[in-house]
Amino acid sequence: MCGIVGYAGPKPAAPLLLNGLAKLEYRGYDSAGLALLTGNHHLNIIKKAGKIGNLIAAVKAAKVPASITSGIGHTRWATHGQPTDQNAHPHMDCSGRVAVVHNGIVENYQHLKKQLQDKGHQFRSQTDSEVLAHLIEEQLKKHPWKEAVRRSLAQIQGTYSVVAVYEGEPHTLIGARSGGGALVVGWGKGETLLASDVPALLAHTRRVSYLDDNEMAVVTPTGPSFLNVLTGKPVVKKVSEIEWTAEQAEKGGYPHFMLKEIMEQPRALEDTFTSRLDPRTGSVVLEGKFWDSPFIGKFKKITLLAMGTSYYAALVGKFLLEKYLRIPVDVENASEFRYRNPILGKDTLAIVITQSGETVDTLVALREAKAKGARIATICNVMGSSATREAEGVLITRAGPEIGVASTKAFTTQLGAFWLLTLFLAGKRKTMPVSELKKKAKELSRLPQLMAGLLKQRKSLEKIAHEYAHYFNFLYIGRGIHYPIALEGALKLKEISYIHAEGYPGGEMKHGPIALIDSKMPVVAIAPKSSAVYEKMLNNMEEVKARQGRLIALVEKGDKLAAAKADAVIEIPSVSEDLSPILSVVPLQVLAYEIAKKKGREIDQPRNLAKSVTVE
Ligand code: M6R
């Protein structure tokens, strides 16, 4: 969703902030803006609805001098008020001396706005965020800059990451965070940066501090200092080193990040296994004390919490954990979790699965599970994110930065992580014989290579995509552990091509969805022969054919029986049933990509979507 960049240092601020915002485009946005402190310290606000290109043109037209070396930038994803120039951030106070950018929602903004209007403040936008600029203006009548911001923030209810600038102190940016949304401080040499997300910082520094709830960073070119918003007391923050490189967050010659990330999956999976999975002994090592604590041998229930693609990974995880640990596993849509008084307690291991580690629904569920006494672990792709800071046990997927809004390598590495977790726990709790652990570990370690082979099929998938891109609806069906893959395949297609697509368990067809089947309905059937319910899937495929449905079958290489039933065939290598989701999802990602490309969609930033959903 919205993105924030702030800079205080010796370099020209405008191009640096624009580059930073471009790195955050993937988060999803509909307007963008800058606040720059000009040579004579006047605040200059430039903001435009639409893509960053519009803002770049406006900055060029404004002839911003290179001597301006501090400022803030923002990409907005509209919540309150339409995506117009006026509603774009930064927002100013009445005097035009204070500017703020804000991610999140000010829940009590109507009440605060009324109070401020009664005092004579004039509002220029329909946003909730503007109240903060006016609150600061009020506080500046009585307090210096830092204290004025702190006192203003203390009046706000809701979730926020904010950065504020003031022409009275042009080289002191103030950032703060509460509830949801991230704010990262970058420690440069003679320069300090702020950003909502690490990719905006990578070109400048890899030394960062993450703000926690109710923390404020006072940022000057010589470095940041930190304090608690509620108490005003100083806070000492840890400095972490980011492992990602600036190159990893570039397209690297691919036309889209999504394609690059699809192609990176063999490497990402291999990295996720490296130093953890030993195929010779079948043992798994997970980093961190939590995984060796007595609780790991004792818990009686697992609750998996996630959203979107991560939720579908959790559905696969349930199959593995229940099958090999014989422990009950609930999978919960995180956005629903806290509203139904869920049953979990001290003997529950709650695992949140999240690529970004910043999805607010998932974080709220994490906190709810913690409040109910569960111990918390996370499968997460972003070290330092809120999920990794709030969980006791952390299993990092090593996918590297995922920029395309449609999740791909994060998903397959999440499945890899579930396998690591399953083998690790099965080894600890002795629920699998060592021979079986070794067999699975060996098979797993072969997957990256098989996946690389599978990706060579891109041409044939492109052909299928061109044949099917004009259809308006798709169904995806799968059974057992392949049902979540049907859901994920359908999600990929709808997200980036805007074609209506739904995933169903094959057995559900006759209970309703089959009414939709006719010659205008392509059905993607996930039918690997290794499946325990392969025969039943063949029956479902026959049912589709009998009603003239257009059948695209995903089958194991050489399975002539299943292939003969289909109008189009996608082949995957033969592996055991539990492992095949890691492979079967890959051609479905490519198919969605090729269809979206054929339709000329904005693949990396599909309409209405944001990479990281930081408001409820
Ligand atoms: O960062 P997270 O894994 O917590 O994100 C959860 C979902 O928002 C995310 O998976 C979303 O569904 C993707 N756009 C799917 O491609």
Side-chain angles (χ1 to χ4, degrees):
M1 291 190 146
C2 310
I4 291 178
V5 193
Y7 180 75
K11 297 180 190 148
L16 189 147
L17 293 172
L18 288 170
N19 280 336
L21 291 182
K23 294 278 180 282
L24 299 182
E25 275 194 291
Y26 73 96
R27 291 172 65 98
Y29 71 104
D30 38 47
S31 60
L34 298 183
L36 300 157
L37 292 135
T38 60
N40 51 8
H41 300 337
H42 286 312
L43 258 180
N44 186 6
I45 306 284
I46 308 172
K47 51 189 195 172
K48 284 278 158 209
K51 291 291 172 190
I52 287 178
N54 299 351
L55 178 64
I56 294 175
V59 170
K60 212 166 166 194
K63 298 197 169 47
V64 176
S67 56
I68 296 175
T69 60
S70 50
I72 52 179
H74 190 262
T75 47
R76 172 176 186 251
W77 189 89
T79 57
H80 294 63
Q82 292 190 350
T84 57
D85 287 359
Q86 226 170 23
N87 288 333
H89 297 216
H91 291 291
M92 279 195 290
D93 67 335
C94 301
S95 71
R97 303 187 73 209
V98 174
V100 298
V101 291
H102 166 232
N103 294 357
I105 294 180
V106 179
E107 275 161 13
N108 56 340
Y109 87 99
Q110 268 163 329
H111 168 72
L112 293 170
K113 188 170 177 176
K114 170 87 178 55
Q115 280 185 345
L116 289 159
Q117 281 171 327
D118 289 346
K119 287 184 182 157
H121 286 262
Q122 302 283 329
F123 281 74
R124 300 181 186 91
S125 75
Q126 285 96 51
T127 66
D128 53 331
S129 312
E130 191 183 339
V131 292
L132 181 60
H134 295 276
L135 283 175
I136 297 173
E137 181 180 20
E138 274 298 307
Q139 293 295 333
L140 274 169
K141 291 176 187 165
K142 296 168 273 178
H143 302 284
W145 172 224
K146 184 170 87 177
E147 186 60 10
V149 178
R150 190 184 78 75
R151 284 175 182 257
S152 305
L153 289 170
Q155 295 177 61
I156 282 183
Q157 287 162 12
T159 55
Y160 61 76
S161 8
V162 298
V163 184
V165 284
Y166 170 46
E167 66 174 39
E169 295 207 25
H171 302 297
T172 308
L173 275 49
I174 298 188
R177 171 186 182 268
S178 179
L183 201 61
V184 191
V185 176
W187 300 69
K189 290 199 180 108
E191 58 185 7
T192 313
L193 297 104
L194 278 157
S196 53
D197 213 350
V198 159
L201 303 176
L202 287 174
H204 309 280
T205 181
R206 282 157 67 190
R207 298 183 67 232
V208 298
S209 297
Y210 298 91
L211 288 196
D212 284 311
D213 262 0
N214 296 316
E215 286 182 350
M216 230 168 101
V218 180
V219 161
T220 66
T222 52
S225 60
F226 302 93
L227 62 148
N228 183 287
V229 172
L230 305 177
T231 63
K233 295 219 168 95
V235 174
V236 178
K237 298 293 298 176
K238 194 174 118 197
V239 181
S240 320
E241 193 80 29
I242 300 169
E243 285 181 13
W244 294 352
T245 63
E247 296 71 48
Q248 279 182 301
E250 302 289 342
K251 278 193 202 144
Y254 285 94
H256 298 101
F257 277 109
M258 184 180 176
L259 182 61
K260 178 188 173 228
E261 288 158 6
I262 288 173
M263 301 306 280
E264 278 175 348
Q265 291 181 103
R267 191 275 309 148
L269 193 60
E270 180 137 30
D271 286 357
T272 300
F273 293 156
T274 299
S275 74
R276 291 168 171 166
L277 178 71
D278 186 342
R280 284 171 306 116
T281 59
S283 63
V284 170
V285 178
L286 298 181
E287 308 85 33
K289 280 197 278 208
F290 175 75
W291 301 113
D292 289 322
S293 65
F295 178 73
I296 291 302
K298 286 199 308 217
F299 63 81
K300 296 201 170 65
K301 180 185 162 180
I302 297 177
T303 297
L304 304 177
L305 300 161
M307 298 300 293
T309 287
S310 297
Y311 175 79
Y312 299 153
L315 292 177
V316 175
K318 174 184 165 80
F319 269 90
L320 303 178
L321 293 165
E322 283 192 340
K323 179 169 176 180
Y324 294 108
L325 299 180
R326 304 311 300 155
I327 284 181
V329 179
D330 287 341
V331 186
E332 302 269 1
N333 179 296
S335 69
E336 295 287 324
F337 184 67
R338 78 158 152 172
Y339 299 108
R340 58 167 200 80
N341 197 11
I343 302 168
L344 69 176
K346 288 192 179 7
D347 56 2
T348 308
L349 171 62
I351 308 176
V352 299
I353 303 94
T354 166
Q355 185 284 130
S356 60
E358 298 298 346
T359 299
V360 74
D361 292 311
T362 305
L363 293 176
V364 167
L366 179 160
R367 290 164 199 156
E368 179 72 16
K370 199 183 265 186
K372 286 193 174 299
R375 304 282 292 271
I376 312 292
T378 183
I379 294 177
C380 184
N381 193 42
V382 183
M383 192 52 153
S385 62
S386 301
T388 63
R389 298 204 307 278
E390 294 183 33
E392 272 187 86
V394 176
L395 203 178
I396 287 289
T397 49
R398 298 181 185 137
E402 190 179 67
I403 310 287
V405 164
S407 204
T408 53
K409 60 178 180 172
F411 181 72
T412 42
T413 53
Q414 283 167 347
L415 299 189
F418 267 116
W419 262 111
L420 291 176
L421 192 62
T422 304
L423 297 186
F424 174 80
L425 293 173
K428 284 256 173 205
R429 297 172 75 121
K430 307 212 180 325
T431 55
M432 274 170 92
V434 174
S435 58
E436 182 69 1
L437 286 171
K438 275 192 204 168
K439 196 170 148 219
K440 289 291 175 208
K442 207 178 248 164
E443 261 197 286
L444 268 178
S445 65
R446 282 177 51 227
L447 284 182
Q449 207 187 343
L450 293 176
M451 198 186 260
L454 186 54
L455 282 165
K456 296 198 177 118
Q457 271 190 47
R458 237 190 92 202
K459 269 274 159 259
S460 63
L461 288 163
E462 189 183 12
K463 195 163 158 270
I464 299 175
H466 287 194
E467 227 172 284
Y468 285 84
H470 65 282
Y471 286 92
F472 294 109
N473 300 286
F474 273 67
L475 293 183
Y476 286 68
I477 54 173
R479 281 175 172 262
I481 201 165
H482 303 290
Y483 163 52
I485 302 305
L487 293 171
E488 175 60 6
L491 177 64
K492 286 292 85 86
L493 186 67
K494 74 180 102 166
E495 276 187 300
I496 58 168
S497 71
Y498 318 146
I499 294 174
H500 174 235
E502 299 301 336
Y504 286 105
E508 182 69 20
M509 290 295 285
K510 287 194 278 293
H511 299 274
I514 202 163
L516 297 168
I517 309 282
D518 62 15
S519 61
K520 295 190 198 72
M521 179 65 84
V523 178
V524 180
I526 304 158
K529 208 170 174 179
S530 58
S531 164
V533 279
Y534 169 69
E535 305 287 342
K536 294 210 183 313
M537 182 48 79
L538 291 185
N539 294 342
N540 292 138
M541 289 160 68
E542 291 290 357
E543 288 155 12
V544 171
K545 284 315 293 169
R547 286 155 186 86
Q548 280 86 49
R550 306 273 291 144
L551 192 62
I552 304 172
L554 194 147
V555 304
E556 276 175 25
K557 204 169 165 46
D559 179 1
K560 295 208 172 69
L561 182 63
K565 298 184 195 305
D567 299 293
V569 176
I570 302 170
E571 289 187 330
I572 59 164
S574 293
V575 289
S576 63
E577 177 178 22
D578 305 331
L579 288 154
S580 82
I582 304 188
L583 296 180
S584 61
V585 73
V586 172
L588 301 186
Q589 298 165 342
V590 178
L591 184 68
Y593 172 82
E594 294 295 350
I595 290 178
K597 195 169 99 190
K598 174 79 178 151
K599 293 180 90 66
R601 302 300 193 211
E602 275 206 60
I603 293 178
D604 284 336
Q605 293 156 43
R607 70 184 181 199
N608 307 337
L609 291 179
K611 180 66 183 164
S612 173
V613 180
T614 51
V615 291
E616 266 191 274

